Amino acid sequence: MSETKTHVVMQQKDNVATALRDFEKGQVVTLAGEQRLHLKNHIGFGHKFALCSIKKGADITKYGEVIGVASTDIAAGEHVHLHNVEGKRGRGDQRV
């Protein structure tokens, strides 16, 4: 019996995964091998969750590329989105 893929991790150095379906708070996701991760929040389809604890100021890496920096400490299993990630590139919607 094949296992249904529930999330995407492209590179070993990634510290976030992308959800391939909706997850409810408290659900358990099995990562590579037998490691199990308890989700701290609802994670919607296409959204990211932390694979490990990420300290404030650390890079957020997805698909092997840095996509931002943690604006606060992020716990393993926590939703990773605009509320706890800042971009490293200039944003057109924020003028100085």
Side-chain angles (χ1 to χ4, degrees):
M1 175 187 245
S2 66
E3 184 176 327
T4 302
K5 189 81 169 149
T6 61
H7 61 282
V8 174
V9 179
M10 294 296 289
Q11 300 286 327
Q12 188 173 6
K13 65 182 177 179
D14 289 354
N15 56 9
V16 298
T18 303
L20 295 178
R21 65 176 183 85
D22 289 342
F23 289 101
E24 295 304 319
K25 177 180 178 179
Q27 278 189 278
V28 176
V29 175
T30 301
L31 305 176
E34 298 300 315
Q35 182 183 359
R36 295 165 54 92
L37 179 67
H38 293 269
L39 298 177
K40 307 236 182 282
N41 314 97
H42 167 82
I43 311 294
F45 170 79
H47 283 249
K48 299 172 295 299
F49 57 91
L51 296 170
C52 58
S53 296
I54 303 169
K55 293 290 186 186
K56 180 179 180 179
D59 287 340
I60 304 294
T61 306
K62 174 181 168 184
Y63 303 151
E65 299 293 327
V66 174
I67 61 166
V69 62
S71 59
T72 186
D73 288 346
I74 303 171
E78 189 174 340
H79 186 211
V80 177
H81 199 54
L82 299 175
H83 67 284
N84 55 13
V85 177
E86 294 175 354
K88 284 193 154 185
R89 299 180 193 165
R91 289 181 47 176
D93 64 337
Q94 296 181 345
R95 301 207 181 244
V96 180

